Amino acid sequence: MLTLDAEQTVGDFVRQKPTRARVFESLKIDYCCGGKISLSQACRKRGIEVGAVLQAIHQSDELADADTLVNVDTMGLAQLADHIETTHHAYLRDELPRLDAMTEKVARVHGDKDDRLPTVRQAFLILKTELEPHMMKEEMILFPIIRQLEASAERLDFHCGSVANPIRQMEREHDQSGAALALLNEFTDGYTPPEWACNTYRAMLDSLEKLEADMHQHIHKENNVLFPKAIELEQERG
Ligand SMILES: [Fe+2]
Ligand SMILES: [Fe+2]
């Protein structure tokens, strides 16, 4: 049996086995933006007993079907950047305009009956406005730098100085997106529809919940896998 170390960071737990993200999602333990703290610290923060969480992780590991989620830890950096673009960025490019229309419609039609809806709409717009240029910067600036780093055996001089500089900026933007997502979760009572909610309202909540889960995976792959590996590679190149 694999020994699980509660002093390991939450991000590392998920890096080693992506299926563990489901355990953290269900316990509302932040493994992406907040993934740099140890599991024991994260449990203290959430007021849950670390032993029970380790047990849940152990059970999830036993059940995990290794083929159901990609193991990003074994990918090369260019391959991982491609994977992020073709899955998470592609998903957001489809989903953000769809959710834009849905949140607008639900707030317009039901806003007078449920005063949380205009706030949900505002929080969504903030998120969308942040994410679109953020993805563009990753695709046009940071990911090409990371691909070049991996492809070259020598030290490279980038316009931005060290790769750590754009990474720091991207991580700051992830924190902002994480905060907007947490607000969406809070304003919708964890995506719970009121009894009278119509199908569009329910579909909107369902899509927002999926958006949150996908964003957590997305930010985790960048903050805890791609970015630290890129920084390490740059240091190796001297
Ligand atoms: Fe991204
Ligand atoms: Fe990102």
Side-chain angles (χ1 to χ4, degrees):
M1 182 187 128
L2 184 76
T3 344
L4 299 168
D5 176 8
E7 295 318 309
Q8 196 178 248
T9 69
V10 179
D12 277 343
F13 268 100
V14 179
R15 186 175 56 75
Q16 290 157 351
K17 257 191 205 299
T19 42
R20 291 171 178 167
R22 296 196 182 121
V23 177
F24 293 140
E25 297 277 354
S26 72
L27 295 170
K28 293 200 185 313
I29 291 178
D30 177 6
Y31 64 88
C32 54
C33 293
K36 289 191 168 78
I37 62 171
S38 72
L39 180 65
S40 60
Q41 266 175 294
C43 288
R44 265 200 302 280
K45 233 171 116 182
R46 290 274 304 120
I48 31 191
E49 211 255 305
V50 67
V53 179
L54 287 172
Q55 183 60 31
I57 293 172
H58 178 63
Q59 275 171 0
S60 138
D61 286 359
E62 282 192 332
L63 287 171
D65 174 4
D67 296 329
T68 56
L69 278 169
V70 281
N71 188 354
V72 290
D73 202 28
T74 56
M75 285 185 181
L77 296 195
Q79 197 189 0
L80 178 51
D82 292 348
H83 162 78
I84 290 170
E85 283 185 8
T86 55
T87 55
H88 302 291
H89 288 198
Y91 161 81
L92 286 172
R93 290 220 160 81
D94 284 343
E95 205 56 11
L96 291 175
R98 207 175 72 89
L99 268 164
D100 187 17
M102 276 175 136
T103 52
E104 188 279 323
K105 185 180 172 194
V106 175
R108 179 164 42 82
V109 179
H110 301 296
D112 51 345
K113 203 168 170 183
D114 187 341
D115 58 10
R116 304 176 308 170
L117 289 172
T119 325
V120 168
R121 167 75 178 147
Q122 280 311 313
F124 172 77
L125 278 180
I126 292 171
L127 181 71
K128 180 173 181 282
T129 312
E130 283 169 359
L131 278 176
E132 284 165 343
H134 173 82
M135 284 194 287
M136 188 75 92
K137 282 180 258 180
E138 286 179 342
E139 291 179 15
M140 311 292 286
I141 302 167
L142 180 57
F143 290 2
I145 289 179
I146 291 176
R147 290 188 186 99
Q148 279 180 49
L149 256 180
E150 192 179 47
S152 160
E154 292 149 34
R155 194 191 122 87
L156 298 169
D157 284 314
F158 297 112
H159 191 63
C160 59
S162 163
V163 72
N165 294 326
I167 285 178
R168 215 174 299 122
Q169 176 61 25
M170 292 304 105
E171 288 188 334
R172 265 198 294 270
E173 294 179 8
H174 290 166
D175 287 344
Q176 287 163 2
S177 303
L181 285 165
L183 282 179
L184 279 168
N185 188 317
E186 194 188 316
F187 293 146
T188 57
D189 292 331
Y191 311 106
T192 316
E195 233 165 77
W196 52 266
C198 66
N199 280 341
T200 315
Y201 191 164
R202 286 170 198 272
M204 175 192 83
L205 291 177
D206 187 58
S207 298
L208 285 174
E209 188 170 13
K210 289 202 178 90
L211 175 77
E212 185 188 49
D214 194 87
M215 279 297 299
H216 285 169
Q217 276 291 322
H218 179 178
I219 295 178
H220 158 69
K221 288 173 190 175
E222 290 173 355
N223 276 21
N224 300 324
V225 189
L226 183 65
F227 296 172
K229 284 187 176 184
I231 290 174
E232 201 184 323
L233 190 63
E234 186 185 52
Q235 283 164 352
E236 276 170 26
R237 298 277 191 265

